[in-house]
Amino acid sequence: MAAERKSVAAALRDTPTPGQSRYGWLAGALRARILQGEWVPGEAIPPEAVLARSYGVALGTIRQALALLVADGLLERRHGKGTFVKAGLGGASMLRFFRFRQSGELQAAPHSRILSRKRRLADLDEADALGLPAGASVLVLERLRSIGAQPCLLETLVLPLPLFDALAESDTTAWDDLLYPMYQRVCGVVIHHAADHLSFGQFTGQQARRLDLEKGHPCVRVQRRAFDLADRCVELRSTLGDAFAFEYTAQVR
Amino acid sequence: MAAERKSVAAALRDTPTPGQSRYGWLAGALRARILQGEWVPGEAIPPEAVLARSYGVALGTIRQALALLVADGLLERRHGKGTFVKAGLGGASMLRFFRFRQSGELQAAPHSRILSRKRRLADLDEADALGLPAGASVLVLERLRSIGAQPCLLETLVLPLPLFDALAESDTTAWDDLLYPMYQRVCGVVIHHAADHLSFGQFTGQQARRLDLEKGHPCVRVQRRAFDLADRCVELRSTLGDAFAFEYTAQVR
DNA sequence: CAGTGGTCTAGACCACCGC
DNA sequence: CGGTGGTCTAGACCACTGG
C-alpha cells in the first residue's frame, strides 16, 4: 500500500504539511474523501483545475497527487472524460490458477452453487485476520464452482457478520456467479485487492466426492484474504482444486 | 514491456517525432543508448540538466522520459547522486516458491552443485523459445540446490551457445551459487526479467533419488524463461521441488 | 463546441550526497 | 560547498470526449 497512507482523521486535518511533500499530503486528503464515500465507485471526482484551485495549489502538484492514487488503484483517469473512482475487483480471478480443459463441447460458462450457509463464532485465527473482537460472529459459506457439468473448485468463505448481514438470509440460489460485484451491490463492500497463498495437499474423502475425485488425490489450496478500499480484510476464502489442473504464471520483476 | 519499445535503429533516428509524445520518443532514444552499452549497468547516465540541454528539451520532459525507464526497471534514481543503469536480477528467486524448514540447526546457507554439463542441438521448442535458428547448439546443465545438507531443488538449464561459450569449459566447481551475476560477469549477459510457469506432477525414480524422496512423490515444476535487457530470451530453466514444501503468495491487483 | 486530461515550458527553491 | 535529483509554480497549447 502507498507509503503516504495515514488514518482518515490524520489525513483530513487541513493544516498543510509537516515534513511531507505537498502532493503526498494532497493524495492522503483525497484518499480520505474517497474512503468516506464522498464519491461512489464509478463516479468522477472534480476536474484537476477545480481541485487545484480549491486546494490553492498548481496543476502539476494536483496531478502528482492523482498519479499516486492511480498507481494505488484507487482512481482511474480517462482522457477527455475525467478522473473516476475505481470499481473493485471484477473477474473470476480464482480460475486463473487452473486450466480446466473442456473435452468435446465448446468451453461452457463457469457457474457456482452454494452448498451450505451458516453463522458461527469466529475462531481466533479468523478473528485476527478479519480484525474482529474475540467472539464475533461470521457467515460461513461452502460453494461449488463448475464448468459445464464438471465440478472443479470447492470453496469455503468466511465473512464478518455485521457487515454481510444482507447475505445471511437472501435466497442463495438467486446469487450471482461472481461474488465481488454482489458484495458491492448488496452490502456496499468494494473489494480493492487481495493476497492469494498457494500450497499443495491431498483431498479428504468428503472433499474428493464433491469434485468426482478419489480420496487422497493431489490438491491445490488457494487461501485468499480480500481487502476493501480502506485496506480492511473483509473476506477469507479457501479454494481447493485438482493439482493436476494447476497452472500459473508469475512475472519476475 | 513498455509500449514505446521500438527497434534500436528506429529509436536512434534523430528526426524528432511522428505522432508520439516527445518524452516517449526520448525514452526510446535513451533505452537504445543503454542497450547499446553506452553506459554499463551500475553506471550513472548524465544528469537531467545535461540531457535536457543536449536534447533541447525542458527539464520536466526529460524527467517524464526517465520515469518511463525507471518504471520499466531499466534505470534507478538516487536522490543527490544520479540516475543509474540498473544491474540485473540478483537474488535466489527460485527459493521464493518453497519453504524448506530447517529442523534443528540455524538456517544454513543454500548452495548449488552442477551435476552435469553437455552441448547438444536445440530441439524445436527450445530453438523457438530462445529465438535460435533450427539446428543451433545449446549448453545444457543439471544442477542440484541444497540447504545445509538437505538437497531440495533439481534444475535443468538450457543456454544458447554462441552467447554462453565462456561457461562451456570453465571449472564448474568454482561457479557461483547465483548464476545471474555470473552470467553478467563472465558472459556480459544481464538478466532483466523472467516469467515463471508453475505446474504440478510427480517425480520419476531418478529425480526422486537426487532429492531423497520416493518415486511418484508430488512435485512442483517451475519453468522459467529469462530475458536480457533487449528482451531476448537467453535462458530456459526447469526447476523441480517437493510439492509439500511449496508455498507461494500472489498479490491480486 | 466547451470541458476534460495530456504534454511541455522555463524557471524557482528544497533536500540529499559526498568532498 | 557544488552537484544531484525532488518539489512546485503559472502558465501555454494539444488531443480526446460528448453534446
Side-chain angles (χ1 to χ4, degrees), chain A residues 21-23 56-58 60-61 64 79-81:
Chain A
S21 66
R22 202 175 311 201
Y23 72 81
V57 97
T61 306
Q64 274 186 287
H79 193 163
K81 301 191 64 178

Side-chain angles (χ1 to χ4, degrees), chain B residues 21-23 56-58 60-61 64 79-81:
Chain B
S21 65
R22 202 174 311 202
Y23 72 82
V57 97
T61 306
Q64 273 186 287
H79 193 162
K81 301 191 64 179

Side-chain angles (χ1 to χ4, degrees), chain B residues 125-144:
Chain B
D125 287 341
E126 290 164 352
D128 181 56
L130 293 168
L132 298 174
S137 60
V138 291
L139 189 66
V140 178
L141 302 167
E142 260 194 321
R143 189 167 173 252
L144 182 66

Side-chain angles (χ1 to χ4, degrees), chain B residues 130 163 226-235:
Chain B
L130 293 168
L163 193 55
F227 299 82
D228 69 2
L229 283 178
D231 212 15
R232 296 176 307 173
C233 180
V234 292
E235 183 205 59

Side-chain angles (χ1 to χ4, degrees), chain B residues 52-87:
Chain B
R53 200 154 18 86
S54 75
Y55 281 104
V57 97
L59 254 182
T61 306
I62 212 71
R63 298 190 101 254
Q64 273 186 287
L66 295 177
L68 283 184
L69 299 178
V70 168
D72 223 22
L74 227 58
L75 291 178
E76 182 182 5
R77 317 200 69 175
R78 295 181 214 152
H79 193 162
K81 301 191 64 179
T83 304
F84 297 79
V85 178
K86 253 202 174 179

